Amino acid sequence: MKVARFHAPGDIRVEDAPEPSPGPGEVKIRVRNCSTCGTDVKIFKHGHHHIRPPRVMGHEIAGEIAEVGEGVAGWAAGDRVQVIAAIPCGGCEECLRGRMTVCPNQESMGYHYDGGFAEYTIVPAKVLAVDGLNRIPDGVGFAEASVAEPLACVLNGQELARVGDGDDVVILGAGPIGCLHVRLARSRGAGRVFLADLNPDRLAMAAERVRPDAVISGRDADVVDEVLKLTGGRGADVVITAAASGAAQQQALQMAARQGRISFFGGLPKDDPIIALDSNLVHYRELTIVGANGSSPLHNARALDLIATGAVPVSDLITHRIPLAEVLEGIDIVSRGTAIKVTVEP
């Protein structure tokens, strides 16, 4: 079969590999869609400390079961499935307390295990042990199902930031994650949703699809000033930094309303993670700052349901569908910010 393997920074190769067979407790799936994200770009450029090459990349996986291993019950060949990316251990103190997103023993598809940029992949027994293999609902295509993983991360972030009825919400970053944040915020009852980005072309492309109440071009205006104007000087109830930007995190504090909630959704580069934070803004305005780290198996199941019910449409966010042989072009498209969602169809 064909796979896309990471060998070193700047070195991803589409090459031949033996077709795998499932071991006890494992499931083999025929990958139908594996979507790309900004993390794939980071891995391509810089590698990742959890990846020991060569490793088949891809962690937003949907397909159909081709074969089940010994001892697997409840699944059969032909079942349409979506696979979690982040795999909690299920047995540590955090997992037992229901905090699977911060499991210290977490492993990941495409990092610790071969991922979905392949014609076939093996779902490890650890995934099944934490209910991380999800049945795709009727009416949901494989490409849409592959978007359930990033939507699950967005769902985790908005739950932590308590996005709810009547909130004014600002999303900083108009990539695929920003678009999903806009749509999920609406489904959670947000009053108004504003979308900002430094890239005017990407902002326009995103706005055409997700229709925020206002767009703010960071290249043409001061984002903080514009948010204050849009909210009558009050600021936003929730600010979500859907970009790997320290400047965006600092701006988020300045545009948050009293008792506002700020989600540092996008992580910063490992070599530049420190920002200047005005702690008096946090103190006097009673602000809440939360992180958001991936998703749990339950978030993935709920994300599929949001897609299936139409509460969060995703099909129109998939702007590019490419074959596995063109995966490097897909990663380049994501890197240049000229797409919303790029999905690979092995």
Side-chain angles (χ1 to χ4, degrees), residues 179-194:
C179 289
L180 290 171
H181 269 298
V182 171
R183 286 201 164 147
L184 182 63
R186 290 213 186 283
S187 78
R188 292 175 65 88
R192 295 183 296 176
V193 185
F194 309 128

Side-chain angles (χ1 to χ4, degrees), residues 83-90 95 100-101 103-114 122-130 132 295-297:
V83 187
I84 60 171
I87 311 167
C89 73
C95 286
M100 285 188 166
T101 57
C103 170
N105 308 312
Q106 178 179 290
E107 296 179 317
S108 299
M109 297 296 294
Y111 295 71
H112 303 84
Y113 302 95
D114 282 342
I122 297 296
V123 180
K126 287 184 177 182
V127 170
L128 277 71
V130 294
S295 61
S296 70

Side-chain angles (χ1 to χ4, degrees), residues 27 37 40 84 87 92 95 101 109 116 124 207 211 215 224 229 238 241 291 318 341:
V27 168
C37 75
D40 296 320
I84 60 171
I87 311 167
C92 70
C95 286
T101 57
M109 297 296 294
R211 300 293 180 184
V215 296
V224 176
K229 288 176 186 176
V238 181
T241 60
I318 301 169
K341 200 66 181 166

Side-chain angles (χ1 to χ4, degrees), residues 264-336:
F264 285 176
F265 189 92
L268 300 186
K270 295 295 189 292
D271 60 352
D272 190 21
I274 308 300
I275 65 170
L277 186 151
D278 185 343
S279 66
N280 275 340
L281 286 176
V282 180
H283 174 70
Y284 288 109
R285 294 188 188 178
E286 297 186 354
L287 302 179
T288 298
I289 302 172
V290 296
N293 177 46
S295 61
S296 70
L298 182 57
H299 285 125
N300 279 254
R302 291 172 56 203
L304 277 171
D305 185 62
L306 287 167
I307 294 169
T309 60
V312 180
V314 299
S315 60
D316 62 329
L317 302 182
I318 301 169
T319 53
H320 294 69
R321 297 170 183 255
I322 62 172
L324 183 61
E326 297 175 14
V327 67
L328 283 171
E329 181 181 344
I331 291 173
D332 182 61
I333 291 169
V334 174
S335 177
R336 289 186 281 112

Side-chain angles (χ1 to χ4, degrees), residues 140-281:
V140 176
F142 291 114
E144 294 170 286
S146 72
V147 183
E149 192 280 327
L151 178 56
C153 299
V154 168
L155 178 59
N156 177 43
Q158 292 206 14
E159 287 183 342
L160 290 166
R162 307 191 312 279
V163 175
D165 288 344
D167 284 338
D168 278 340
V169 180
V170 175
I171 315 295
L172 301 176
I177 291 294
C179 289
L180 290 171
H181 269 298
V182 171
R183 286 201 164 147
L184 182 63
R186 290 213 186 283
S187 78
R188 292 175 65 88
R192 295 183 296 176
V193 185
F194 309 128
L195 183 62
D197 201 285
L198 289 170
N199 183 330
D201 294 332
R202 183 166 68 173
L203 182 60
M205 180 170 52
E208 182 181 356
R209 287 166 172 80
V210 299
R211 300 293 180 184
D213 292 280
V215 296
I216 306 168
S217 172
R219 183 176 294 181
D220 302 322
D222 184 293
V223 177
V224 176
D225 287 347
E226 291 301 309
V227 168
L228 293 177
K229 288 176 186 176
L230 288 164
T231 58
R234 179 174 173 272
D237 298 292
V238 181
V239 185
I240 299 170
T241 60
S245 167
Q249 292 183 351
Q250 292 174 178
Q251 289 175 324
L253 269 75
Q254 297 165 10
M255 66 178 72
R258 286 164 174 77
Q259 291 197 351
R261 289 91 68 199
I262 298 157
S263 172
F264 285 176
F265 189 92
L268 300 186
K270 295 295 189 292
D271 60 352
D272 190 21
I274 308 300
I275 65 170
L277 186 151
D278 185 343
S279 66
N280 275 340
L281 286 176

